[in-house]
Structures are given as C-alpha cells and as structure tokens.
Amino acid sequence: MTSLFGPQLTLRSGSIAAPLAFPVFRRIWVASLFANLGILIQGVGAAWAMTQMTPSADKVALVQTALMLPIMLIAVPAGAVADMYDRRIVALAALSCELCGASALALLDWLGQTTPSLLLVLCFGVGSGMALMGPAWQSSVSEQVPSEALPAAVALNGISYNIARSVGPAIGGIIVAAAGAVAAFALNALLYLPLMLVLLAWKRNSAPPHLPPEKLTRAMVSGVRYIINSPSIKIVLVRSMVIGVIGSAIIALMPLITRDQLGGDAQTYGIMLSAFGLGAVIGALTIPEVRNRMSGETSIRACSLCMGATFATIAWSHQPLLTAAALLVTGAVWMTAWVLFSIGVQLSAPRWVAGRSLAAYQAASSGGIAIGSWGWGHLTDIAGVEVALLVSAAFMFVSPLLGIWLRMPPITAQGDEGKILEPPKVRLPLTGRSGPLVVEIEYRVAQANARAFHALMQDIQLIRQRNGAYGWSIARDIADPEFWTERYYCPTWLDYLRQRNRSTQSERGLDGQAVAFHIGSDPVRIRRMLERPFGSV
C-alpha cells in the first residue's frame, strides 16, 4: 500500500504492535502517551486537592463528573465538526482548550485562589477540550493505518492511556505530596506540547470532498439519524452506558477508598490508580486473543461478572495489597470491555460518519460515567463507601441479563467505502437546494418470493434512512401483485447526492439482492421527481 500509508509494510496477523510500523501513527501515539500522562497527573492533583478543601464525598466524586460531563454534552457537535473539517486542525484546537484550562488551574492554585467550585469549573473546561479532541483523534486513526491494522490501533490507543494510568497516578501522588497540586497542574500543561507539535508536523493526506460539506446542524441530524437506524451501534451505546453508570463507582470513589478504607495519603492513591492502569494495559494486550476465542457478547458478560467480584473484594478489603490486586484485575476487564465497544463502533461506521458515531459512543460511555459518579458519590454520603461499592457489585452481576434483549453484535468490518457514483442525468434545471426530491424504485417480483423480498426491504429501509432519506415506504399493487414500489424522500437535490454516495459496499450488496428478485425483460425502473407544492412553478 503506497497511497496513504507509505511503502508497503508486512503486518503480522493479530499483532498488537503492527500499527507502530506506520510512522505517523507511531509519532502521534508516543506524543499522546505524554499527553495522557499529564492528564492522569492532573487528575490526581484535582481529586486530592478537593479532598483537602472539603470532606464531602459528593464534591470529591463531582471532580470525575466535571471531567466527563462535557464529553456527554459536547460529543454530538464535536463528532459533526470532526467529520466536516480537517481532523488535525480540530484536534489542535481541542488541545489548545485543554492547555488553557490546565494553565489556569496551575496559575490560580499558585496564587491560592482555588475553591471547590472554581476547581470544578476548570475541570469542566479541560473536559470540554477532551470532548472536542476525542472524535477527531479517534476517527483519524483510520487515516494513519490501513483497515487490517485498525483493531490493533484502537487497542494501542487504549494502552497509551493506561500505560500513563499505570505510572501517572503514582508520579502524580509523589508530585502532589512533594510540591502540591499546583505542580501537577503545571506539568500537565507542559505535557500537552509534544502532541501539539506532532500534529502540526503531520501532513494529512485526505481526498477533497466531491460534495460541499453539510452545515453543522444538518450534520448533527445526519449523525443522529444514522445511529438511530443502525441497530448494532445502538446496542453498543446502550451496553456501554450501562457499564459506565455501574462501573463508575470504582473510578469516582477511588480517593475515598484510599482515604477511608485504607487510611492512605496522596501517594497511596496514586499507587492504587497505577494498579488499575497496569491491569488495563494487560487487558488491552489480550484483546486479539479475546476476540479470537470469544464472541462480543460472551466477552462483555465475562468482564461484567469479573468486575462484580472485584468490586465486592475492594468493598470488604482494608489491606492495600489486596485492594491493589483487585484493582489490577478490575483494570484488565474494564479496559477489555471498553476496547471491544470502541472497536465495534469504529468497524461498523463508514468514514463519512465515523466522527459522529464515535462521538455518540463517547457521549453514552462518558455520560454513564458522569451520571454514575454523581449517583455513587451521593449514595456514599448517605451509606458509606463500602455499601456503595457493594451495590455497584450487585448491579454489575445482574447487568449480563441485558444480553437477552440487547445481544452484542458480531465485531466485523461493515464500514467499507463504496465508489463515488456519477450524478444521474437530469433535464430539469436543479440547484443543490432544489427539493424535496421523491425517489420511486419499481420492482417486479414473483409472488412466490414476496415474503423474502419484503423481509429484505426492511433492511433496505434502515440503509436508506441512516444515509439521509425519510418518509420511506414499500407498496404492492393490489391489481398486479407482482408489482412493488419503494418510495422515499430527500430534503434537497444535494442531500440526495449525498444519500446515494454514502452507502457502503456491503449496503450496495443488499441493493443488489433486491434487484436480483426482479423478474421480466425490463430493468428495475428508478423515478426521481421534484415535489412541487401548488404555485411553486
């Protein structure tokens, strides 16, 4: 492969390190490791600073909420922006926002002006930068490595964060203990710079769009429409949000586990987070083996049951060594679940909506963590850390039952891009805003195949709707039972051109199956009509 990824490289099947053979990915990955290290160091400083300013468990848990809530609130427009504009520029803007938030935290803490409310506001600002960064960064991975290396690249990005998690909190604990939270905030600001420099140097290769970009509001609507009409992505979003709500107890309450259960200090807190991060690295390294041996549903169920057992162990433990061992296992299964969710979304979504699909995934998972963090902090204020963790463990044990109704879809690549289609020939003068457009497709189907054809058309309906159509219907002629008419609308001529070019190769394969049902000497007939209200001509 020479067009996008440089000289041809041989990839070892199933190798987790395969994406590092590509220079752009390797440089961005190493720089992101430093940025993640800074985020984790800042997290230790912020959480511990809050424990020093207030005894309220609710306020301590809200630090995690302040970092994660923006991802839920901003994810949808952030995903649209990532799909509409140069993802490298979007990522640089997001990093600038995070840099400003971290610098403000360092300056205000150095001046002694930090309050619990101000700390939460600035954490929200940093979280806003993370929300904008996430979709652009993750959806650009497919531009840095070929499709066969994408699952490993997704896992490596998770490893990057968790290598930082395995050492960052311990370093953060030492820094906070030695020099205070201000040093953690300042170091985080400095560690954003390598990633910004690497992104500035990246010469992104991207084909120019053949159609004008959508407006932001229309792009957001298109993303929501795609997700609503994609059953596999909807299942992943629901399951990830449930895991986020239940599992956020261990993340949000970690400072209180350290302080109340173990009687530790900032350094102990850093060590506990490091144990969790080290486990997450181990979990990410096992992803290829997990995918080879288990289905998506089986692996998510196993992860949920393991987390339930480790949560209960942490709730009852008052020994740092036992708690660290339980956190090691928790980190491994936690990361395994999240990487499987992320791979499922990235492989299912075509490139035109990749940023928006990942944004929806981030909104669901981070929203679950944000809501859960608040809830577990509130419960801890009422009943204590041990009870909150045991309740979380009980819910985690029950969560696999969701698989009865919302079974995890197979994790296979379905977002293969289709070739650009030539615009249909027209004789009526049209502009991009001409519309609405009515499309009718006429089939002649043998009566013996009517049931199979109708079942196939239900899948076609989802394809049309997620790619931009609305008002879809399928009708059968009562006087000529072999004659069927598929009908749908597109808002404008430009929207129709987008809709027909958004379909992937696999989706066009289903179109081909529908055409294969057609009988007779005449081909399938397609009518494209401009709907004209009274007085418009």
Side-chain angles (χ1 to χ4, degrees):
M1 63 196 69
T2 58
S3 59
L4 289 177
F5 307 108
Q8 184 169 351
L9 296 169
T10 301
L11 298 180
R12 185 160 56 89
S13 178
S15 171
I16 191 70
L20 295 175
F22 300 94
V24 171
F25 179 83
R26 182 172 62 248
R27 288 192 289 268
I28 293 177
W29 188 84
V30 172
S32 70
L33 182 61
F34 288 106
N36 288 330
L37 185 66
I39 291 169
L40 269 297
I41 290 172
Q42 175 184 281
V44 174
W48 198 254
M50 186 64 82
T51 63
Q52 299 302 301
M53 287 188 287
T54 175
S56 170
D58 197 15
K59 286 280 181 67
V60 174
L62 278 175
V63 171
Q64 189 68 27
T65 299
L67 287 169
M68 291 297 179
L69 188 61
I71 300 178
M72 180 181 71
L73 298 177
I74 303 173
V76 174
V81 168
D83 287 331
M84 293 167 60
Y85 302 107
D86 188 324
R87 289 165 179 163
R88 183 182 69 95
I89 302 300
V90 174
L92 284 168
L95 286 170
S96 299
C97 179
E98 293 180 61
L99 177 62
C100 290
S103 301
L105 273 172
L107 178 61
L108 291 172
D109 199 59
W110 180 63
L111 295 173
Q113 300 298 313
T114 309
T115 64
S117 297
L118 191 55
L119 179 64
L120 292 175
V121 168
L122 291 174
C123 284
F124 186 90
V126 173
S128 298
M130 293 167 59
L132 185 61
M133 175 72 174
W137 179 38
Q138 292 186 50
S139 59
S140 69
V141 173
S142 61
E143 301 172 19
Q144 301 163 25
V145 300
S147 58
E148 62 267 25
L150 183 59
V154 174
L156 276 174
N157 279 338
I159 289 174
S160 169
Y161 181 76
N162 286 286
I163 289 175
R165 190 197 291 271
S166 65
V167 297
I171 295 173
I174 294 171
I175 290 173
V176 171
V182 62
F185 300 149
L187 183 58
N188 177 44
L190 290 175
L191 289 177
Y192 282 123
L193 298 179
L195 183 54
M196 297 180 75
L197 292 174
V198 168
L199 289 175
L200 282 170
W202 177 25
K203 305 301 182 183
R204 179 173 177 254
N205 294 320
S206 59
H210 66 283
L211 292 172
E214 296 175 283
K215 295 187 182 298
L216 180 60
T217 52
R218 180 64 65 84
M220 291 167 59
V221 170
S222 297
V224 171
R225 182 192 292 118
Y226 184 89
I227 291 161
I228 289 174
N229 289 285
S230 300
S232 60
I233 293 181
K234 283 195 297 185
I235 290 173
V236 172
L237 298 187
V238 172
R239 296 293 292 273
S240 64
M241 187 168 190
V242 169
I243 292 292
V245 169
I246 300 172
S248 60
I250 204 69
I251 304 295
L253 302 180
M254 193 82 74
L256 302 176
I257 293 169
T258 303
R259 188 187 69 184
D260 300 343
Q261 299 282 97
L262 305 179
D265 56 12
Q267 191 168 351
T268 308
Y269 172 56
I271 292 171
M272 293 300 112
L273 282 178
S274 295
F276 185 93
L278 180 59
V281 172
I282 295 171
L285 289 172
T286 63
I287 288 296
E289 191 68 19
V290 170
R291 293 187 68 209
N292 288 335
R293 292 181 176 271
M294 296 187 199
S295 67
E297 179 60 34
T298 301
S299 56
I300 294 300
R301 288 182 182 181
C303 289
S304 299
L305 294 175
C306 285
M307 279 191 277
T310 55
F311 284 13
T313 302
I314 294 166
W316 286 319
S317 171
H318 294 276
Q319 300 298 322
L321 188 60
L322 178 59
T323 300
L327 285 170
L328 188 75
V329 178
T330 302
V333 293
W334 173 270
M335 176 51 55
T336 299
W338 290 114
V339 171
L340 289 173
F341 287 142
S342 181
I343 290 173
V345 172
Q346 294 209 46
L347 290 183
S348 297
R351 186 170 297 177
W352 72 267
V353 76
R356 282 162 280 189
S357 297
L358 284 164
Y361 163 68
Q362 285 192 337
S365 56
S366 300
I369 293 173
I371 294 168
S373 296
W374 174 83
W376 296 121
H378 191 64
L379 179 59
T380 301
D381 271 338
I382 297 172
V385 176
E386 183 176 332
V387 171
L389 289 173
L390 290 174
V391 172
S392 175
F395 278 118
M396 197 63 82
F397 278 125
V398 174
S399 66
L401 294 177
L402 273 176
I404 297 173
W405 302 279
L406 300 172
R407 188 174 185 83
M408 284 289 294
I411 301 177
T412 56
Q414 298 174 357
D416 45 332
E417 301 292 323
K419 293 181 179 179
I420 300 300
L421 303 176
E422 290 293 327
K425 297 186 183 304
V426 298
R427 294 184 178 178
L428 190 66
L430 298 176
T431 67
R433 299 178 61 184
S434 298
L437 200 77
V438 187
V439 181
E440 290 186 351
I441 307 175
E442 299 172 353
Y443 306 88
R444 184 164 291 278
V445 180
Q447 294 192 52
N449 294 329
R451 187 177 297 275
F453 176 75
H454 185 264
L456 175 64
M457 295 308 292
Q458 307 313 302
D459 294 328
I460 298 289
Q461 175 186 7
L462 293 178
I463 292 171
R464 306 280 193 238
Q465 291 178 166
R466 66 173 168 246
N467 287 335
Y470 68 94
W472 185 92
S473 66
I474 184 74
R476 189 179 188 185
D477 194 322
I478 59 176
D480 183 1
E482 290 185 343
F483 187 76
W484 294 74
T485 302
E486 177 190 2
R487 182 184 177 94
Y488 61 88
Y489 293 78
C490 289
T492 66
W493 173 244
L494 192 55
D495 288 312
Y496 171 69
L497 296 178
R498 291 193 185 103
Q499 182 267 334
R500 70 196 299 266
N501 280 292
R502 282 172 174 170
S503 55
T504 63
Q505 293 285 13
S506 54
E507 290 172 344
R508 291 178 187 177
L510 289 179
D511 264 331
Q513 292 179 36
V515 172
F517 276 103
H518 181 73
I519 61 175
S521 57
D522 295 329
V524 170
R525 182 169 184 175
I526 303 176
R527 300 177 185 270
R528 303 174 183 91
M529 298 170 285
L530 191 64
E531 189 173 80
R532 296 287 78 189
F534 180 76
S536 64
V537 180

